[in-house]
């Protein structure tokens, strides 16, 4: 009876096509929108064939936001490989959302099975960040993150934006308050340990202290390198500045009320487990998760979250991914979700396996003539050995490497307090 009442109440939304239902949903006042979302979730949980609502596991492991990489297609593949990892969107500039309000589905829509998922915003204009957060809020992201760490000239070179924001922690605090005031999910910051000569632990301490005191921000994702805005390109900024994991662990010591996720230089699950064992609240992996998703993501649920389940195979994942890909090809026009776009995340799926190079060459050839994603898979997967397609993840050769953490620095306030106590 309860289910039928909810269904009757929400029949206009349930009966509409998804795009039309979303437009009607966006037109509702915020309070009614929130109540409607809650009711829809309760109805969905009881509909025939519906899966159990997704559980938002702690963000012990997350996949970093990466421009041109962590799009809807890669995130969908990543979610099929790991059910528990937290996923992040590519950075979306606040102004893009503000000025594309008639095209928001193309920018912000994602399949429900991608939860838990965070939206990363870029920008510094308080009004536009607030508007972008309000518009994004109705899409149901689990977190909204502000980019304060990107050293790309496309980002940092345009005023106070990306990593350059770290030079003005008061403004970042105001920005986080503006974002938080327009959404009903946690707000987080992703940053470096410093920028150019603004790289002492005292300055990082003050950045975290200022932002967390001026806003509801309780979670910081720290790339443990500083950013050099001049002289290094983005790729060099991911490897040339030395890693200083000790800065992150010093923040964990000095701000016990906050949460810190460690990022930078993490390339295997052994390092993830080591960082967590040393006290990190979470670990974020970047390019290693994209370039070798089977070697990394397929081990997360068991090795990080301790969840044992029957080993899934790559053939099974590809079959599931095909359902997703076939549903989105051409959805927003041929230039947005083509066969080439949905194929791109699979190119590293067989990394270091027998036949991987042959398969990529077959894909390249098939992209020129295949009329559907199904046809492409049919023509190319046959070059791979069954042992590659049908074997579950191997845990026998788990990398047990660790991260190098130097002596934890003290901030000047702590030193003064210790000296005064002596």
């Amino acid at each position: 009876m309860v289910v039928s009442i909810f269904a009757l109440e929400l029949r206009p939304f349930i009966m509409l096509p998804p795009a039309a239902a979303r437009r009607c949903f966006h037109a509702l006042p915020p309070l009614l929108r929130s109540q409607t979302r809650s009711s829809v979730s309760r109805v969905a949980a009881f509909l025939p064939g519906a899966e159990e609502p997704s559980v938002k596991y702690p963000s012990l492991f997350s996949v970093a936001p990466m421009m041109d990489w962590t799009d809807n297609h890669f995130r969908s593949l990543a979610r099929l490989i790991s059910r528990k990892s937290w996923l992040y969107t590519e950075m979306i500039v606040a102004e893009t959302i503000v000025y594309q309000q008639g095209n928001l589905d193309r920018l912000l829509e994602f399949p429900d099975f991608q939860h838990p998922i965070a939206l990363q915003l870029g920008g510094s204009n308080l009004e536009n960040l607030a508007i972008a957060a309000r518009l994004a809020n109705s899409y149901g992201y689990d977190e909204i993150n502000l980019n304060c760490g990107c050293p790309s000239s496309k980002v940092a070179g345009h005023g106070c934006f990306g990593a350059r924001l770290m030079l003005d922690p008061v403004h970042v605090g105001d920005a986080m308050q503006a974002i938080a005031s327009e959404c009903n999910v946690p707000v987080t910051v992703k940053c470096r340990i410093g920028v150019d000569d603004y790289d002492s632990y005292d300055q990082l301490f003050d950045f975290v202290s200022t932002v967390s005191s001026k806003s509801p921000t309780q979670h910081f994702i720290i790339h443990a390198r500083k950013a050099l805005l001049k002289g290094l390109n983005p790729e060099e900024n991911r490897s040339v500045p030395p890693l200083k994991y000790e800065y992150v662990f010093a923040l964990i010591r000095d701000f016990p009320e906050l949460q810190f996720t460690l990022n930078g230089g993490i390339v295997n699950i052994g390092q993830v487990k080591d960082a967590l064992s040393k006290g990190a609240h979470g670990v974020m992996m970047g390019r290693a998760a994209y370039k070798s998703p089977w070697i990394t993501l397929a081990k997360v649920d068991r090795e990080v979250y301790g969840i044992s389940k029957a080993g899934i195979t790559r053939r099974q994942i590809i079959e599931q991914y095909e359902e997703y890909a076939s549903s989105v090809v051409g959805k927003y026009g041929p230039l947005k979700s083509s066969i080439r776009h949905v194929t791109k995340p699979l190119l590293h799926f067989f990394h270091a396996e027998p036949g991987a190079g042959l398969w990529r060459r077959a894909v390249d050839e098939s992209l020129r003539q295949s009329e559907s994603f199904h046809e492409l898979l049919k023509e190319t997967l046959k070059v791979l050995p069954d042992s590659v397609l049908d074997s579950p993840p191997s845990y026998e050769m788990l990398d047990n490497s660790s991260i190098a953490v130097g002596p934890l620095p003290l901030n000047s306030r702590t030193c003064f307090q210790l000296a005064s106590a002596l």
Side-chain angles (χ1 to χ4, degrees):
M1 180 62 70
V2 173
V3 175
S4 64
I5 291 173
F6 280 138
L8 194 62
E9 198 177 90
L10 298 168
R11 185 177 297 167
F13 288 98
I14 295 173
M15 299 302 292
L16 284 173
R22 189 174 293 281
R23 285 193 294 271
C24 292
F25 180 74
H26 290 166
L28 294 173
L31 179 59
L32 184 55
R33 190 186 305 158
S34 176
Q35 293 171 340
T36 302
R37 181 180 297 282
S38 175
S39 296
V40 168
S41 298
R42 282 178 283 171
V43 172
F46 290 101
L47 289 177
E51 296 182 358
E52 293 183 9
S54 61
V55 178
K56 296 176 187 175
Y57 286 80
S59 53
L60 299 175
F61 179 90
S62 54
V63 179
M66 293 176 279
M67 294 292 289
D68 299 324
W69 286 11
T70 52
D71 58 11
N72 247 330
H73 312 317
F74 172 76
R75 296 196 310 268
S76 294
L77 177 65
R79 176 57 69 229
L80 293 173
I81 301 172
S82 168
R83 302 291 182 177
K84 314 309 177 189
S85 302
W86 277 67
L87 305 176
Y88 282 71
T89 69
E90 303 171 271
M91 183 193 71
I92 303 179
V93 177
E95 283 72 18
T96 301
I97 296 174
V98 172
Y99 300 131
Q100 293 283 328
Q101 293 190 38
N103 206 16
L104 289 181
D105 281 359
R106 184 179 67 83
L107 292 171
L108 297 173
E109 191 174 42
F110 61 91
D112 284 342
F113 70 83
Q114 283 186 16
H115 288 288
I117 178 174
L119 167 69
Q120 186 180 70
L121 292 177
S124 61
N125 182 283
L126 302 185
E127 181 180 0
N128 286 338
L129 285 170
I131 295 172
R134 173 168 52 81
L135 293 170
N137 190 51
S138 64
Y139 282 82
Y141 287 95
D142 300 297
E143 171 191 316
I144 296 183
N145 175 268
L146 180 64
N147 182 332
C148 295
C150 183
S152 169
S153 58
K154 296 179 182 179
V155 175
H158 288 69
C160 189
F161 205 101
R164 195 176 297 274
L165 277 170
M166 290 194 70
L167 300 174
D168 192 352
V170 171
H171 187 81
V172 175
D174 292 338
M176 297 308 295
Q177 179 60 52
I179 293 170
S181 67
E182 295 293 340
C183 69
N184 56 9
V185 295
V187 294
T188 65
V189 167
K190 187 174 189 295
C191 63
R192 295 280 182 133
I193 59 172
V195 178
D196 294 332
D197 294 329
Y198 182 90
D199 62 352
S200 70
Y201 180 69
D202 272 3
Q203 289 164 322
L204 178 61
F205 179 97
D206 288 341
F207 175 82
V208 170
S209 178
T210 300
V211 174
S212 61
S213 64
K214 288 183 66 66
S215 72
T217 308
Q218 299 289 298
H219 183 189
F220 291 80
I221 301 161
I222 313 287
H223 186 143
R225 289 186 175 95
K226 74 174 182 178
L228 292 170
L229 301 184
K230 294 183 180 180
L232 294 182
N233 61 36
E235 182 178 357
E236 291 169 333
N237 259 301
R238 293 191 294 270
S239 58
V240 174
L243 286 162
K244 294 185 177 181
Y245 293 128
E246 54 268 22
Y247 276 35
V248 181
F249 289 103
L251 291 174
I252 293 170
R253 175 200 64 203
D254 292 337
F255 295 93
E257 73 281 9
L258 302 179
Q259 298 286 306
F260 294 95
T261 290
L262 183 147
N263 174 228
I266 303 296
V267 298
N268 60 60
I269 299 303
Q271 291 176 319
V272 172
K273 296 176 69 175
D274 184 57
L276 292 171
S277 71
K278 286 180 165 70
H281 300 127
V283 180
M284 176 176 278
M285 182 181 287
R287 279 156 177 74
Y290 185 91
K291 293 183 176 180
S292 53
W294 185 249
I295 295 174
T296 55
L297 298 182
K299 299 175 181 177
V300 168
D301 293 358
R302 173 173 147 170
E303 295 298 321
V304 177
Y305 290 93
I307 298 171
S308 298
K309 61 178 182 180
I312 194 168
T313 68
R314 277 178 277 203
R315 190 190 300 276
Q316 292 170 318
I317 289 173
I318 286 177
E319 288 172 354
Q320 295 173 19
Y321 183 73
E322 182 185 352
E323 293 182 26
Y324 158 79
S326 298
S327 72
V328 298
V329 169
K331 184 175 182 180
Y332 300 114
L335 298 180
K336 180 60 180 177
S337 294
S338 66
I339 297 174
R340 183 176 295 274
H341 287 137
V342 298
T343 302
K344 180 183 174 184
L346 289 176
L347 294 180
H348 299 285
F349 197 35
F350 302 102
H351 174 74
E353 294 285 4
L358 182 61
W359 180 73
R360 285 194 296 271
R361 290 191 292 274
V363 167
D364 187 57
E365 179 66 29
S366 185
L367 281 170
R368 299 190 182 100
Q369 51 194 355
S370 293
E371 296 184 359
S372 70
F373 186 64
H374 174 78
E375 182 182 340
L376 180 142
L377 292 178
K378 181 179 179 181
E379 292 300 317
T380 61
L381 290 179
K382 59 189 178 184
V383 307
L384 290 164
D386 288 343
S387 59
V388 171
L389 289 167
D390 296 323
S391 297
S394 172
Y395 299 98
E396 295 179 0
M397 299 182 65
L398 184 68
D399 195 321
N400 291 318
S401 60
S402 59
I403 61 172
V405 181
L408 272 55
L410 294 173
N411 68 84
S412 57
R413 295 183 206 173
T414 303
C415 291
F416 178 78
Q417 291 168 354
L418 290 173
S420 300
L422 295 178

